[in-house]
Amino acid sequence: GTTPLVTDVYADAPIGAAGDGAERRPLIERKSGADTPQSYPEGSVVMAVIDSGIAFANGRFCTPPDGNTVIPVSRFSHLMLPTGTGAFSVLGRSNIAELMQAGLNPATGQFHEINVYNKTARRQSDGRRNVRPLSLPAPHGTQVADLLAGADMADEVTTRPMIGVALPSSAIIDTSGSIAAAYIPALVDEILALSATMTGPDGKPLPLIINISLGFTAGPCDGTHPVERAMFDAVQSALAAGREVHITLPAGNHAQSRLHAELGADDWDKDGLASLTLRVPSDDATPNFTEIWLPERPLQDFFED
């Protein structure tokens, strides 16, 4: 009854151990005020990122300071940070604003972004090795977040509130997706729950886009991976509840390494023909399919050649 679904060898405790009959999921603890309702202008959309190394205090994700201060206001309405024990801590706007205060240097009166991340790391990990501090390099999540919703601070964007979810280091290192599968279903559900409190002028939950730019090099290629199934189920449940939810996924990353065959220029014969064989095991009861990626050229040109 208490056996975890997956044991994260990099964490100090198993993931999501639960009692008899309970679904095994990671512990998600909301800090005070994290679920406070928020209202946004018409046309607003919630932009959520599940990744690693999300620089929430960067100017690309902030609006100008309020009042007589140099501290910008982060557009991140929520942050979900791993604790290093298989659990997550959920911060709301007030918690994030408190972290932003750490960027102020009283001696110079200037705002230093790196100080915010140093304070976050001290609160977040307590020295545990399964948490990658934002102050370290390779902030993939920052790059993805900027593609998703980045903007110049001077533009004062107020219609794209953001939710950042930082995965543990182990979930990023494990390219099979096994450890990520133990986290992502619960994290997606938490994003849905938090974003439901973020409403427009009509009182309805804002449309939601979730970006998961991860690539798995192992596992099924037919949509039955636990992460893929969790995303599908989440969207279907949201649609059934009358919400507008979209998930953006990578078209690249490890997609090419999951191919079963690839044709190069030397594989075509003098008539411009080539063949591939799809061999299906006789005891394979799953639906099988062939996905063909053609060159980045108009189809007419391709076949005329």
Side-chain angles (χ1 to χ4, degrees):
T2 58
T3 303
L5 177 64
V6 174
T7 298
D8 188 341
V9 297
Y10 291 92
D12 295 339
I15 297 172
D20 290 332
E23 187 175 5
R24 300 181 178 93
R25 290 197 156 192
L27 174 66
I28 297 179
E29 179 186 6
R30 295 180 185 175
K31 296 300 182 181
S32 176
D35 51 2
T36 301
Q38 304 172 33
S39 180
Y40 293 87
E42 185 177 356
S44 297
V45 179
V46 182
M47 317 294 279
V49 180
I50 300 178
D51 213 291
S52 175
I54 304 172
F56 64 92
N58 190 272
R60 297 286 291 173
F61 316 122
C62 293
T63 56
D66 288 335
N68 299 321
T69 178
V70 298
I71 303 174
V73 179
S74 176
R75 284 198 288 123
F76 278 87
S77 64
H78 300 87
L79 290 173
M80 297 186 214
L81 304 177
T83 63
T85 63
F88 286 81
S89 179
V90 181
L91 309 183
R93 277 204 179 278
S94 60
N95 310 119
I96 297 172
E98 179 185 351
L99 292 175
M100 295 289 286
Q101 292 288 330
L104 177 64
N105 185 332
T108 63
Q110 295 179 327
F111 178 78
H112 298 283
E113 180 184 349
I114 189 65
N115 292 341
V116 178
Y117 306 139
N118 287 337
K119 180 175 181 177
T120 305
R122 288 195 297 271
R123 286 193 172 189
Q124 175 185 4
S125 64
D126 194 25
R128 296 187 175 94
R129 62 175 180 161
N130 198 25
V131 176
R132 185 180 185 86
L134 283 170
S135 54
L136 293 180
H140 182 268
T142 300
Q143 302 166 23
V144 171
D146 193 32
L147 290 172
L148 183 70
D152 290 336
M153 193 187 305
D155 294 340
E156 300 190 35
V157 176
T158 59
T159 58
R160 294 295 182 268
M162 306 176 70
I163 297 176
V165 180
L167 289 174
S169 300
S170 54
I172 300 298
I173 295 171
D174 174 27
T175 53
S176 73
S178 298
I179 294 179
Y183 292 116
I184 288 180
L187 295 173
V188 169
D189 285 348
E190 181 68 3
I191 290 174
L192 289 170
L194 293 172
S195 62
T197 67
M198 304 167 68
T199 60
D202 58 0
K204 296 180 180 179
L206 298 178
L208 169 66
I209 295 177
I210 304 175
N211 188 95
I212 307 178
S213 186
L214 302 175
F216 304 138
T217 57
C221 304
D222 57 2
T224 60
H225 192 287
V227 172
E228 296 170 329
R229 292 181 64 91
M231 292 186 291
F232 177 83
D233 292 342
V235 171
Q236 294 303 307
S237 298
L239 293 177
R243 296 189 58 185
E244 182 179 355
V245 176
H246 305 271
I247 296 182
T248 60
L249 303 170
N253 281 2
H254 296 292
Q256 299 304 315
S257 64
R258 295 175 72 181
L259 294 177
H260 296 286
E262 183 174 354
L263 287 174
D266 297 335
D267 297 319
W268 302 89
D269 62 25
K270 63 181 180 179
D271 295 323
L273 301 174
S275 64
L276 289 172
T277 299
L278 175 64
R279 182 174 291 110
V280 182
S282 58
D283 58 348
D284 186 354
T286 61
N288 287 277
F289 66 94
T290 302
E291 180 179 84
I292 301 175
W293 289 34
L294 296 172
E296 295 182 1
R297 298 163 53 190
L299 287 179
Q300 183 177 357
D301 294 345
F302 176 74
F303 286 114
E304 282 182 353
D305 292 343

